[in-house]
Amino acid sequence: MKLFILVLCIIGVSCDLVPLVDDQTALVRASWNQVKHNEVDILAAIFKDNPDIQSRFPKFAGKDLKTLKATAAFATHAGRIVGFFSEITELNPTDSGVSAAKTLINQLAANHKGRGISKAQFNAFRASLTAYLSEHVTWDDNVATAWEKGFDNVYLVLFSALDGNPL
């Protein structure tokens, strides 16, 4: 589950996406930069909140989370997930940046659809990641709004692709 969702810094040019304004893009990037090096802790928090998501990973299913956190396989996968978000947040809010983000999100959807990952699991992932962020970064209403708007854009693309209609 290479993480899903991507974040936020998608600046919409399509009428379906609601563009982040410059200060929102800056808030998302700044807050992500506060935690992007906590890969293992981020994935562990998501698994703790969502054992059903952990069970979707054959390497991690049924294993003790504390023990898993110390393994190279867990760290590697956590790095992939966080790296995906890092890549999305760093894309420039230009037409080409939006296009690149859509491509990445559509690939994410294709990779996860075949594994039977549901929209509900993606939503649970989003909720857990948002909770992690709110507890580990400088968080206020403006940061919350920026992340919500960014996630909404990501999930619009993600869920469209899961439904067989990539944007």
Side-chain angles (χ1 to χ4, degrees):
M1 283 187 48
K2 267 185 161 172
L3 176 43
F4 330 36
I5 331 345
L6 190 36
V7 190
L8 333 235
C9 261
I10 294 185
I11 309 298
V13 284
S14 159
C15 61
D16 295 325
L17 300 176
V18 179
L20 292 159
V21 294
D22 288 342
D23 63 328
Q24 290 174 321
T25 300
L27 288 171
V28 166
R29 285 180 178 160
S31 58
W32 186 246
N33 286 337
Q34 292 175 41
V35 296
K36 70 181 181 183
H37 299 292
N38 302 346
E39 299 98 331
V40 168
D41 290 337
I42 290 169
L43 186 56
I46 291 164
F47 281 4
K48 182 180 177 190
D49 290 348
N50 305 284
D52 63 312
I53 291 176
Q54 180 179 340
S55 72
R56 302 298 297 181
F57 292 83
K59 289 183 182 180
F60 308 141
K63 296 188 178 169
D64 174 67
L65 192 53
K66 185 177 179 181
T67 304
L68 271 178
K69 283 179 65 175
T71 67
F74 190 84
T76 298
H77 200 80
R80 285 185 199 128
I81 291 170
V82 170
F84 176 79
F85 278 93
S86 294
E87 189 171 1
I88 295 296
T89 61
E90 290 304 316
L91 289 170
N92 289 321
T94 62
D95 289 348
S96 62
V98 172
S99 179
K102 285 180 179 180
T103 297
L104 292 170
I105 297 165
N106 285 323
Q107 289 171 346
L108 177 75
N111 292 340
H112 289 77
K113 184 175 183 175
R115 292 185 220 148
I117 306 305
S118 69
K119 289 180 182 180
Q121 288 171 315
F122 276 107
N123 281 329
F125 181 94
R126 175 183 178 166
S128 293
L129 182 56
T130 300
Y132 182 89
L133 289 164
S134 71
E135 295 168 6
H136 292 88
V137 305
T138 306
W139 192 262
D140 62 20
D141 289 343
N142 292 330
V143 174
T145 298
W147 275 93
E148 181 178 345
K149 198 175 192 181
F151 272 130
D152 287 349
N153 286 336
V154 168
Y155 275 74
L156 174 67
V157 175
L158 179 66
F159 286 177
S160 292
L162 287 173
D163 289 339
N165 304 306
L167 298 179

